[in-house]
Amino acid sequence: MQRFVKLCSMAPLFVLLGVLPLAFAGHDYGQALSKSILFFEAQRSGYLPSTQRVQWRGHSGLNDGKANGVDLVGGYYDAGDNVKFGLPMAFTITMMSWSIVEYGRQMAASGELGHAMDAVKWGTDYLIKAHPHPNVFYGEVGDGNTDHFCWQRPEDMTTSRQAYRLDPSNPGSDLAGESAAAMAAASLVFRRYNPSYANQLLTHAQQLFEFADKYRGKYDSSITVAQKYYRSVSGYADELLWAAAWLFKATNNQYYLSYLANNGDALGGTGWAMTEFGWDVKYAGVQTLVAKFLMGGRAGHSAPVFEKYQEKAEFFMCSCLGKGSRNVQRTPGGLIFRQRWNNLQFVTGASFLLSVYSDYLTSARKNLNCASGSVSPSELLSFAKSQVDYILGDNPRATSYMVGYGSNYPRQVHHRASSIVSIKVNPSFVSCRGGYATWFSRKASDPNILTGAIVGGPDAYDNFADERDNYEQTEPATYNNAPLLGILARLHGGHSGYNQLLPVAVPVPKTQPNPAPVTKTTPAQGSSSAPIAIEQKMTTSWTDKGKTYYRYSITVTNKSAKTLKGIHLSISKLYGPLWGLTKVGDSYVFPAWLNSLPAGRSLEFVYIHSASQADVSVSSYTLV
């Protein structure tokens, strides 16, 4: 689990140290990609599906949210503990999605796209549950204090599972903004394969962004139990810009482009020159995305402001390369070094930004201009590759910091589930403190291999101690792995010749991701006639203060051979909020981001109330 980090200052950093010559054999990036995705299955909370590949894990956290009257079963544990922290989880989903958006073709070629999309959907399904109302978001389940007192398998945990929420009286713009970014980015992943799900994600993303922007405040001032573990040191300004950038990329709505231009100075997007990128500090990521908009010709009248964003993006790239005015520190072995605690999170994050920026420059036929001179795009990719190679074993210790990759990797990982015998092997209950006495203090290897996990990594001098209590170096985290998916796919697949500055459609995977669980489906009133089909299903229910609430999902499908340009739906017997449509008078029409519905395509909207399903019918429509 990551404790908070300090915001990068503008002070000069240590001088660049030499890079270790690569004297090792080449790496199997395809195998590393497969393993890095597999790690997320070991981090799953909730009911595990029949397709679960990490067999030593079992169901866990099955009552999460129940005490709060909401279903919060699912999602990811962040690291080696059993807490579901919202900010790092959402950032993980954003970065997995960005990896797929940029390098989905390479993932498809390696046969891993379906697994990667499964990993994203496991997270977004949870984020949807955590956002039951437009201005309510559940940002944490469990707390680090009680969790760290115990050493238990997630299947056995007896610690608090209290859920903590944001609302207008308890704002959290950073957490709501990051969650909006995650769902907007993920909507791009599912746009071709599952358009109704993509639209559902966009609905939540837009509502969360509006909530984050309207009710401003730091989330750890509202969810104070997070302060010791994931304090938002950088504040929420970077997440507001980050969310706006992803919403523009997902919707092409000029409102979000204008937001980036009009708020670039006030929120720091044009001012902060950063040398780190991670779950807390998003500026370098925002600046990289905005630079892509600029190079892709999408900036319009905002170009002068976006050029300032790009200057700061290039400051980051030059600093990482050691060719800027203030360069990042490196270990003697050549690894980017930011801090002792879980340093590899910054290495994978920076390497991803270097990789995508290299491809953006190649597409734009430009070089990077640093203080030391012009740098070719290939040099950025080569440096990113050197960082990945270091992680995989090309380092002074010849140690792979990806568990299960190579022959020399960490065996005593600081991770509750992997360090305790599987509940399927020995179902005997492991008590809170008994886990420390029996399993944590063992000097033997973990009974379960946490395949694919990227641990915290070595210190500033390339030293590493493979000891379970050395949590600064041996604890893994989901946000260490997430950026690595894209880089490994890029290195394994090579450049496939498409222009990164053009819209990239994520291919449909050969092995398709698992669809969301489907409950009883009933045709809605009026759906049996004409070329428009309407199906309605109840997806979940919960009880709050003696009253039972139901969440209904409605899918509208254009079954004709023509494009549906206009539709008016009549919805009666509706007694609660509805998302995914725009109300005009007494009827409902397409949401703002959808102008038409091509033949065979669907849209989805949802509503919640404490009654049986509403009556939904088609009032009018236009086919062209």
Side-chain angles (χ1 to χ4, degrees), residues 572-595:
S572 60
K573 299 181 181 177
L574 174 65
Y575 309 107
L578 180 149
W579 300 277
L581 294 176
T582 298
K583 190 171 185 181
V584 177
D586 294 329
S587 63
Y588 292 83
V589 299
F590 282 142
W593 62 87
L594 190 66
N595 296 320

Side-chain angles (χ1 to χ4, degrees), residues 117-170:
M117 291 173 70
D118 272 343
V120 171
K121 194 170 185 297
W122 191 267
T124 52
D125 283 350
Y126 174 79
L127 292 185
I128 289 171
K129 290 182 175 183
H131 185 225
H133 303 288
N135 292 339
V136 172
F137 186 79
Y138 286 87
E140 183 170 327
V141 178
D143 72 86
N145 295 330
T146 58
D147 180 271
H148 281 199
F149 183 73
C150 300
W151 194 263
Q152 290 176 291
R153 296 177 294 212
E155 297 85 356
D156 286 331
M157 59 185 169
T158 56
T159 50
S160 168
R161 301 306 290 172
Q162 181 177 343
Y164 301 86
R165 77 179 219 171
L166 305 174
D167 54 40
S169 300
N170 302 282

Side-chain angles (χ1 to χ4, degrees), residues 248 254 257 293-294 296-306:
F248 174 66
Q254 295 300 301
L257 191 76
F293 301 155
L294 179 66
R298 305 181 69 190
H301 298 300
S302 304
V305 179
F306 282 16

Side-chain angles (χ1 to χ4, degrees), residues 377-388:
S378 61
E379 194 168 338
L380 277 76
L381 186 62
S382 294
F383 181 72
K385 178 180 180 296
S386 75
Q387 299 300 293
V388 174

Side-chain angles (χ1 to χ4, degrees), residues 401-440:
Y401 295 107
M402 175 185 284
V403 177
Y405 180 88
S407 57
N408 182 23
Y409 54 82
R411 308 281 176 163
Q412 294 188 31
V413 183
H414 184 89
H415 189 275
R416 286 157 175 76
S418 65
S419 68
I420 302 174
V421 64
S422 169
I423 197 167
K424 296 180 180 180
V425 174
N426 184 351
S428 299
F429 175 72
V430 176
S431 67
C432 167
R433 301 302 291 176
Y436 272 112
T438 306
W439 296 102
F440 178 79

Side-chain angles (χ1 to χ4, degrees), residues 102 105-106 490 493-500:
E102 297 288 355
R105 291 179 186 238
Q106 287 93 333
R490 173 69 172 85
H495 192 66
S496 56
Y498 61 91
N499 190 328
Q500 296 288 119

Side-chain angles (χ1 to χ4, degrees), residues 43-374:
Q43 296 301 109
R44 285 173 169 173
S45 180
Y47 290 97
L48 302 185
S50 59
T51 54
Q52 173 81 8
R53 295 177 293 165
V54 179
Q55 289 294 309
W56 48 267
R57 279 296 322 282
H59 306 316
S60 62
L62 303 186
N63 291 314
D64 285 358
K66 188 174 182 179
N68 301 76
V70 64
D71 175 12
L72 295 176
V73 176
Y76 287 111
Y77 303 119
D78 71 303
D81 49 48
N82 300 325
V83 184
K84 294 191 296 201
F85 290 101
L87 187 58
M89 190 194 306
F91 177 71
T92 294
I93 296 165
T94 307
M95 293 309 297
M96 284 196 290
S97 298
W98 196 359
S99 292
I100 295 171
V101 168
E102 297 288 355
Y103 302 119
R105 291 179 186 238
Q106 287 93 333
M107 288 186 190
S110 67
E112 289 297 330
L113 179 58
H115 291 138
M117 291 173 70
D118 272 343
V120 171
K121 194 170 185 297
W122 191 267
T124 52
D125 283 350
Y126 174 79
L127 292 185
I128 289 171
K129 290 182 175 183
H131 185 225
H133 303 288
N135 292 339
V136 172
F137 186 79
Y138 286 87
E140 183 170 327
V141 178
D143 72 86
N145 295 330
T146 58
D147 180 271
H148 281 199
F149 183 73
C150 300
W151 194 263
Q152 290 176 291
R153 296 177 294 212
E155 297 85 356
D156 286 331
M157 59 185 169
T158 56
T159 50
S160 168
R161 301 306 290 172
Q162 181 177 343
Y164 301 86
R165 77 179 219 171
L166 305 174
D167 54 40
S169 300
N170 302 282
S173 302
D174 27 28
L175 174 52
E178 180 62 66
S179 300
M183 293 212 248
S187 76
L188 292 165
V189 171
F190 293 101
R191 178 172 287 170
R192 288 186 68 201
Y193 164 70
N194 192 342
S196 63
Y197 187 66
N199 287 337
Q200 183 184 9
L201 290 172
L202 272 182
T203 300
H204 286 280
Q206 291 179 311
Q207 290 175 352
L208 279 168
F209 177 73
E210 183 178 347
F211 171 49
D213 194 36
K214 183 177 180 179
Y215 301 100
R216 294 191 179 186
K218 283 178 57 179
Y219 94 101
D220 55 26
S221 296
S222 298
I223 304 177
T224 55
V225 293
Q227 289 182 1
K228 188 178 177 182
Y229 305 97
Y230 289 101
R231 176 176 291 175
S232 180
V233 179
S234 71
Y236 56 76
D238 50 340
E239 279 86 6
L240 290 176
L241 295 173
W242 180 238
W246 277 110
L247 277 162
F248 174 66
K249 191 171 178 63
T251 66
N252 204 31
N253 187 326
Q254 295 300 301
Y255 170 79
Y256 300 110
L257 191 76
S258 298
Y259 188 96
L260 288 165
N262 297 335
N263 293 280
D265 292 341
L267 296 179
T270 60
W272 278 103
M274 305 306 299
T275 55
E276 71 170 89
F277 172 63
W279 61 262
D280 181 26
V281 189
K282 317 292 165 47
Y283 283 113
V286 175
Q287 291 153 356
T288 300
L289 275 178
V290 173
K292 182 180 184 180
F293 301 155
L294 179 66
M295 287 190 280
R298 305 181 69 190
H301 298 300
S302 304
V305 179
F306 282 16
E307 287 171 359
K308 295 180 182 179
Y309 278 94
Q310 185 177 28
E311 288 175 7
K312 297 303 187 291
E314 299 204 342
F315 175 94
F316 176 86
M317 307 301 163
C318 295
S319 297
C320 290
L321 292 171
K323 295 179 179 292
S325 56
R326 290 186 302 276
N327 298 320
V328 299
Q329 180 185 354
R330 290 193 210 168
T331 69
L335 184 73
I336 289 174
F337 188 80
R338 170 70 193 161
Q339 66 180 36
R340 286 181 57 191
W341 190 311
N342 191 14
N343 181 64
L344 287 185
Q345 63 177 306
F346 302 109
V347 179
T348 60
S351 298
F352 179 85
L353 294 187
L354 287 160
S355 297
V356 296
Y357 205 73
S358 168
D359 286 337
Y360 299 163
L361 289 173
T362 298
S363 301
R365 299 182 180 179
K366 292 183 177 180
N367 283 352
L368 175 67
N369 294 313
C370 295
S372 66
S374 180

